[in-house]
Amino acid sequence: MPELTTQRLYLRRWQAGDRAPFAELNGDREVMRHFPAPLTRDASDELADRLQAAIASRGWGLWALEERSTGAFIGFTGLAPTDFEASFTPAFEIGWRLARSAWGSGFATEAARAAAAFAFDELDLEEIVSFTVQHNARSRAVMRRLGMRHDQAHDFDHPRVLEDRLRRHVLYRLAASRSRVVQGH
Ligand SMILES: CC(C)(COP(=O)(O)OP(=O)(O)OC[C@H]1O[C@@H](n2cnc3c(N)ncnc32)[C@H](O)[C@@H]1OP(=O)(O)O)[C@@H](O)C(=O)NCCC(=O)NCCS
């Protein structure tokens, strides 16, 4: 059963059949350009297991994305509590990672709008945040399309990232009240 449904997508729990296409996208250097390295098959499977375990325990999380018209797994989008300390934590993050073949169709923004609505309407959160390395223009564009605002005062060096080129992160915020105005709900 899908957890969330949009016009073109299901945001659902992870299935065994997602593992191969997930490993493929995690092994793609372009998809993983803003991360330390592409993931091995084992690391990718382990991540899928972790994301599904979080959904099973909380009832929500970083959901697998399925394109409704084809049944294809195309990546993930969803919500997670931050798991490190920074000036803006504790907080709830909205995040996304899609296969390159699924870029340029608006899928990340469509899925993120559903996840943001879930955060505000079902979880009653006051605010969600998103962050990424400074030069991840595509991810920052998704944040802007969602109506998120760049809060420069809280840009930060990610404590888990060791590589200089990837350490500086930008912080974006979306308040429940603003989301309702932007999305019209
Ligand atoms: C970040 C990421 C999910 C963004 O994907 P994306 O395809 O650029 O974003 P969207 O799904 O919102 O699609 C927007 C694009 O689709 C186009 N589009 C086409 N049809 C559309 C439609 N029906 N609705 C909306 N946009 C549409 C938009 O014009 C836009 O095109 P542009 O990039 O040429 O301006 C993707 O680049 C990715 O997975 N990157 C690697 C992982 C990563 O860095 N994740 C973030 C880490 S914090």
Side-chain angles (χ1 to χ4, degrees):
M1 284 289 285
E3 265 86 2
L4 300 176
T5 303
T6 69
Q7 194 183 353
R8 296 178 294 169
L9 301 167
Y10 293 129
L11 287 73
R12 59 157 174 74
R13 66 196 58 198
W14 292 72
Q15 300 172 353
D18 302 336
R19 290 161 92 89
F22 192 45
E24 197 175 319
L25 78 86
N26 283 323
D28 181 335
R29 290 197 170 277
E30 183 61 19
V31 172
M32 298 303 281
R33 184 143 68 106
H34 303 292
F35 296 87
L39 299 186
T40 62
R41 174 68 198 243
D42 283 351
S44 177
D45 287 353
E46 198 260 330
L47 176 57
D49 289 345
R50 252 191 298 132
L51 300 183
Q52 175 50 33
I55 292 172
S57 75
R58 292 194 194 98
W60 53 271
L62 290 158
W63 290 284
L65 286 190
E66 180 179 319
E67 201 183 342
R68 291 174 58 182
S69 65
T70 59
F73 166 90
I74 59 166
F76 68 72
T77 297
L79 304 163
T82 49
D83 60 355
F84 58 87
E85 258 185 59
S87 61
F88 59 88
T89 63
F92 291 88
E93 178 195 3
I94 186 164
W96 34 73
R97 186 183 303 172
L98 269 60
R100 218 174 348 161
S101 57
W103 295 8
S105 299
F107 289 137
T109 301
E110 183 173 320
R113 285 199 174 114
F118 182 88
F120 298 133
D121 299 342
E122 305 298 326
L123 302 181
D124 276 331
L125 301 182
E126 289 296 317
E127 180 187 73
I128 53 176
V129 301
S130 195
F131 43 83
T132 187
V133 298
Q134 267 176 328
H135 37 277
N136 191 345
R138 280 188 169 271
S139 193
R140 294 181 67 165
V142 176
M143 295 172 197
R144 281 194 298 273
R145 282 192 286 273
L146 284 180
M148 302 190 89
R149 288 192 165 138
H150 183 193
D151 182 359
Q152 288 192 39
H154 291 270
D155 286 353
F156 66 107
D157 291 330
H158 199 303
R160 297 258 169 88
V161 177
L162 302 176
E163 292 82 351
D164 283 345
R165 73 183 174 95
L166 299 175
R167 195 173 300 134
R168 194 69 185 157
H169 277 57
V170 288
L171 179 76
Y172 282 68
R173 298 181 187 269
L174 182 62
S177 51
R178 175 165 166 78
S179 176
R180 291 198 176 94
V181 172
V182 173
Q183 315 303 344
H185 69 93

